[in-house]
Amino acid sequence: MAVWALGINHTTAPLDLRGRFAFAIDQIAPTLHGLRQALTSSSSRHPGVETAILSTCNRTEIYCAANAPALDHTLDWLAHSGGVSPALLRSHSYTLENDLVARHAFRVASGLDSMVLGEAQILGQMKNAVRAAESAGALGSTLNQLFQRSFAVAKEVRSSTEIGAHSISMAAAAVRLAGQLFEDLSQIRILFVGAGEMIELVSTHFAARHPKQITIANRTLERGEKLAAQFGANTMRLADLPEHLHEYDAVISCTASSLPIIGLGAVESALKKRKRRPIFMVDLAVPRDIESEVKDLRDVYLYTVDDLASVVRTGQAQRQAAVEQAEVIIDHGVQSFMLWLDQRKPQGGTVPLIQLLNSQTDEWRAMEIARAKKLIARGEDIDTVLEALSRGITQKMLHGTMAELHKGDAEQRAQTADTVSRLFLRSQSKSSL
């Protein structure tokens, strides 16, 4: 099997381009179906292609496995799905094959490729991506092995190194930036838009500063109320947000909306009602929740996930030693995965040979059992039948070996004899030592 990957992330593509390729979890199954259809129709060498998609605010990555790689077809399909030219996508993406795919997946799972070095959230996101691919019927044995080994490597990295030490999360970075604008966070009113995992994480960090008011705005009021109950917060329907936006000093948004939900006009109106008192805004969504033009307004301090990069890189030097230790663990994991992959090759791999051996011995065994049953039916003595059964199987198994021992010149026969001894006479060899 060939394994390949195509991706864009926070280091290769700007936020707006990443937004074109962001897939919500409920989009993964139909998206994988479309990708598999496209790859299968592009070549007869891709029947039953395995696929998985990892989509977060910082990256979108496609992992595939088939009889032959199809990187160009994969890139063309992704470009079409995002409405951009293949040339544009190629200039902002990375493509990987075989051992490089394994190394990348292991580094991603371990938090070494994240904006926040060592962050643990990506591991959960990868597990969700694997579950989605499995539910869609797109995950086969090769990609399953790749991801399960990724999780094992990540676990070892986190337990054996201090990769997570000194790290600053996106949530903590947002609190730090807010603290630079407002002298006392306990005196501000905060609006959280959305009720997903990221908003829960950020709201937990802000709640620790005991702000004057916390409100959760969500499309589904029930889900918003569930999160609000953790902090004694208020709730608001998303439709009511423009009317109440001016009441909040800080707005943090992260939804799965495909279009901005906070527009320039709504923010301009809120600023007038606030009499130009500043608003701190953080847009953690990809695609954007807040129109990009809002950043140009006076008295608005808008930050995106990319704007937080310099903050979360704090402590990079302290973590460098842990990174080097993690890379050693990842190297070992890559070697182990490639060995497993090589063993499954149709030519030169051990797994196909083992399958053939099992098939051949099963055939011999079935033949001798059928012969034995006939002898028993004719009334033959059971001991005689068992003796014939065992002798028949033994002769069939050793026939090829005996023939090889008599073939070739003296050197070839000596090599064959050495191999036969190692395969069939192990116990005698050990006892003679």
Side-chain angles (χ1 to χ4, degrees), residues 139-392:
L139 201 68
S141 60
T142 300
L143 287 188
N144 186 56
Q145 274 287 324
L146 174 69
F147 287 118
Q148 294 306 320
R149 288 168 184 261
S150 297
F151 304 151
V153 166
K155 181 179 180 181
E156 185 176 355
V157 166
R158 296 190 186 284
S159 62
S160 303
T161 75
E162 294 186 359
I163 192 66
H166 315 292
S167 66
I168 299 176
S169 68
M170 300 287 282
V175 173
R176 178 177 292 189
L177 289 171
Q180 293 175 3
L181 180 62
F182 303 108
E183 291 184 5
D184 187 355
L185 294 184
S186 67
Q187 297 303 308
I188 69 172
R189 291 179 170 86
I190 306 177
L191 173 64
F192 294 101
V193 184
E197 183 180 356
M198 179 59 78
I199 287 295
E200 182 176 2
L201 185 63
V202 178
S203 58
T204 301
H205 278 70
F206 272 98
R209 298 299 186 94
H210 308 291
K212 182 181 291 186
Q213 180 184 338
I214 296 177
T215 299
I216 308 292
N218 195 54
R219 199 177 306 277
T220 305
L221 195 58
E222 181 182 354
R223 187 171 180 180
E225 289 173 343
K226 184 178 179 181
L227 177 58
Q230 298 181 32
F231 313 108
N234 302 322
T235 56
M236 180 196 306
R237 293 187 183 277
L238 205 56
D240 298 330
L241 189 151
E243 182 182 348
H244 297 279
L245 187 60
H246 68 281
E247 300 171 9
Y248 298 95
D249 306 295
V251 179
I252 292 91
S253 186
C254 187
T255 74
S257 175
S258 58
L259 296 171
I261 56 178
I262 301 177
L264 178 64
V267 180
E268 286 177 329
S269 177
L271 285 172
K272 289 180 182 178
K273 293 178 182 178
R274 289 176 62 81
K275 297 181 180 179
R276 313 311 300 184
R277 283 183 293 122
I279 302 179
F280 172 78
M281 307 185 83
V282 178
D283 187 354
L284 295 171
V286 180
R288 294 174 187 262
D289 276 347
I290 304 173
E291 286 187 343
S292 59
E293 292 82 1
V294 169
K295 194 166 188 175
D296 297 328
L297 295 175
R298 286 186 59 188
D299 303 312
V300 171
Y301 297 83
L302 173 60
Y303 299 90
T304 67
V305 287
D306 288 355
D307 294 325
L308 298 178
S310 61
V311 180
V312 300
R313 290 193 185 108
T314 302
Q316 184 83 28
Q318 295 96 316
R319 296 194 295 276
Q320 192 55 45
V323 170
E324 293 173 2
Q325 292 174 331
E327 294 287 8
V328 172
I329 296 171
I330 288 168
D331 283 343
H332 178 74
V334 171
Q335 293 171 10
S336 177
F337 175 73
M338 292 308 297
L339 177 61
W340 178 86
L341 201 61
D342 286 342
Q343 290 175 338
R344 301 183 69 81
K345 288 181 179 178
Q347 295 179 345
T350 58
V351 171
L353 179 58
I354 291 171
Q355 292 172 339
L356 288 173
L357 285 172
N358 285 331
S359 176
Q360 179 65 82
T361 53
D362 283 344
E363 181 181 337
W364 288 338
R365 183 173 58 85
M367 290 173 59
E368 291 304 319
I369 288 176
R371 182 168 174 267
K373 286 180 177 179
K374 289 181 180 178
L375 292 174
I376 292 173
R378 291 206 300 261
E380 293 285 346
D381 176 66
I382 189 67
D383 288 336
T384 303
V385 173
L386 290 176
E387 182 71 23
L389 172 66
S390 62
R391 187 182 301 109

Side-chain angles (χ1 to χ4, degrees), residues 23 26-41 46 49-53 62 77 132-133 135-139:
F23 299 100
D26 59 349
Q27 296 177 300
I28 294 297
T31 302
L32 287 173
H33 179 69
L35 171 59
R36 297 182 78 198
Q37 277 193 323
L39 292 179
T40 300
S41 62
H46 307 134
V49 60
E50 302 176 30
T51 57
I53 294 177
I62 296 175
W77 175 87
S135 297
L139 201 68

Side-chain angles (χ1 to χ4, degrees), residues 13-155:
L15 176 62
D16 288 336
L17 184 62
R18 298 204 306 273
R20 288 179 170 272
F21 302 102
F23 299 100
I25 194 68
D26 59 349
Q27 296 177 300
I28 294 297
T31 302
L32 287 173
H33 179 69
L35 171 59
R36 297 182 78 198
Q37 277 193 323
L39 292 179
T40 300
S41 62
S42 68
S43 173
S44 60
R45 295 185 296 174
H46 307 134
V49 60
E50 302 176 30
T51 57
I53 294 177
L54 172 63
S55 184
T56 74
C57 60
N58 286 330
R59 71 182 65 245
T60 293
E61 295 179 342
I62 296 175
Y63 293 84
C64 300
N67 292 334
L71 278 166
D72 288 341
H73 291 301
T74 307
L75 189 142
D76 289 346
W77 175 87
L78 184 60
H80 177 76
S81 71
V84 303
S85 68
L88 176 63
L89 178 58
R90 185 174 285 107
S91 67
H92 289 283
S93 64
Y94 43 91
T95 56
L96 308 162
E97 291 188 61
N98 299 323
D99 61 322
L100 295 180
V101 176
R103 183 176 302 282
H104 180 76
F106 295 171
R107 296 186 85 255
V108 170
S110 302
L112 269 66
D113 197 60
S114 298
M115 180 182 290
V116 183
L117 184 63
E119 58 97 3
Q121 188 181 13
I122 185 63
L123 185 58
Q125 292 168 329
M126 284 189 76
K127 289 181 177 180
N128 289 338
V130 171
R131 280 191 288 267
E134 194 169 25
S135 297
L139 201 68
S141 60
T142 300
L143 287 188
N144 186 56
Q145 274 287 324
L146 174 69
F147 287 118
Q148 294 306 320
R149 288 168 184 261
S150 297
F151 304 151
V153 166
K155 181 179 180 181

